[in-house]
């Protein structure tokens, strides 16, 4: 298999058969070797020494689990259970003695590329599933409360006449590098960091194949028809809840018509332009941990 994208490629055994045992999560939390992977208000715990690394708390502080909103058994790795615990209900003051010298809470996106790939994937998984729990406390069918089950991988509606099981959801988004001979189309959204130019992207809609979503988004955002839509790779993107599905496509048109309000600028760039990217506030490529960057570098590597 090709090198996974950043935030993917975890070797954790997700142990899905054992999740349905209601006692298993409790047993894991009582096990001294268990690693508690805390999430606080969408932030992850990291330690800064010579390098930045993922930090966890010893399970001995299992009162943590009681104080937390939700615990999720992420899986087994290096012989230890890894349990995500959402501490968002705690104030910063209440959090300090629990976290102590173990690390500091940061937005994963600010440190992503500095982490080892395995650790990046673990923290992305913890953040993504904590976000899902936080947003699914009520049943979308009947409005009653839901309760976590299956070691945190399901939420069940408490209303006996409904009883629906809700599963963690990930929103599919297509992201695509559109090319035309030796040129690639990059654009900018007004909300992006200064100078950043990247590929086009958008959410998949109901009743639409991925290839159709690619063609529709390119037409909507820049008014260009495409052919040869080809899947390349995918990337979990829990910011907050997406999976990015990476494609390349070949443009049938040259003239760009940026969508007002959505695309601030879009243009054609040669391989030479991109290889010489000054990486400054006037022009920079997307971040190194993004699938957009990988799509661009993959294309640069083809010639
Ligand atoms: Zn319900």
């Amino acid at each position: 298999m090709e090198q996974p994208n950043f935030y993917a490629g975890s070797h954790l055994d997700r142990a899905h058969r054992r999740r349905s045992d209601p006692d298993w999560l409790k047993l894991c939390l009582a096990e001294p070797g268990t690693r508690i992977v805390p999430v606080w208000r969408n932030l992850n715990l990291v330690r800064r020494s010579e390098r930045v690394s993922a930090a966890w708390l010893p399970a001995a502080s299992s009162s943590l689990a009681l104080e937390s909103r939700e615990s999720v058994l992420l899986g087994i790795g290096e012989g230890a259970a890894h349990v995500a615990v959402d501490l968002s209900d705690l104030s910063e003051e209440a959090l300090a003695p629990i976290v102590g010298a173990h690390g500091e809470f940061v937005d994963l996106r600010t440190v992503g590329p500095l982490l080892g790939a395995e650790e990046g994937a673990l923290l992305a998984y913890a953040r993504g599933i904590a976000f899902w729990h936080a947003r699914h406390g009520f049943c979308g069918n009947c409005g009653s409360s839901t309760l976590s089950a299956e070691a945190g991988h399901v939420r069940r509606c408490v209303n006996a006449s409904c009883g629906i099981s809700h599963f963690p959801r990930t929103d599919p988004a297509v992201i695509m590098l559109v090319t035309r001979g030796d040129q690639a189309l990059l654009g900018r959204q007004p909300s992006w960091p200064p100078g950043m130019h990247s590929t086009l992207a958008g959410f998949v809609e109901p009743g639409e194949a991925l290839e159709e979503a690619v063609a529709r988004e390119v037409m909507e955002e820049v008014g260009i028809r495409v052919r040869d839509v080809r899947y390349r790779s995918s990337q979990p993107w829990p910011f907050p809840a997406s999976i990015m599905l990476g494609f390349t496509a070949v443009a049938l048109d040259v003239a760009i018509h940026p969508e007002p309000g959505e695309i601030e600028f879009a243009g054609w760039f040669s391989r030479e332009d991109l290889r010489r990217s000054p990486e400054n506030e006037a022009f920079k490529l997307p971040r190194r941990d993004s699938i957009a960057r990988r799509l661009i570098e993959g294309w640069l590597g083809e010639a």
Side-chain angles (χ1 to χ4, degrees), residues 139 141-144 157 159 162-164:
C139 176
N141 185 48
C142 75
S144 301
C157 176
N159 173 1
C162 173
I164 282 183

Side-chain angles (χ1 to χ4, degrees), residues 251-275:
L252 289 169
D253 305 304
V254 181
I256 295 169
H257 303 284
E259 184 180 10
E262 185 75 15
I263 302 293
E264 177 180 278
F265 167 83
W268 293 106
F269 296 87
S270 70
R271 283 188 168 91
E272 199 55 34
D273 292 333
L274 299 186
R275 286 188 184 120

Side-chain angles (χ1 to χ4, degrees), residues 36 57-58 61-69 71 85 87 90 98:
I36 304 290
L57 304 174
S61 48
S62 65
S63 59
L64 270 179
L66 305 174
E67 294 179 72
S68 73
R69 250 191 330 215
S71 300
V85 173
L87 301 174
L90 300 181
I98 295 170

Side-chain angles (χ1 to χ4, degrees), residues 228-260:
D228 293 350
V229 176
R230 283 191 54 198
Y231 172 76
R232 299 292 171 161
S233 66
S234 63
Q235 179 178 44
W237 196 249
F239 311 113
S242 296
I243 179 160
M244 307 303 292
L245 305 159
F247 289 83
T248 53
V250 174
L252 289 169
D253 305 304
V254 181
I256 295 169
H257 303 284
E259 184 180 10

Side-chain angles (χ1 to χ4, degrees), residues 40-41 87-97:
W40 183 69
R41 302 178 188 179
L87 301 174
S88 301
D89 284 345
L90 300 181
S91 68
E92 208 163 352
E93 295 70 31
L95 195 65

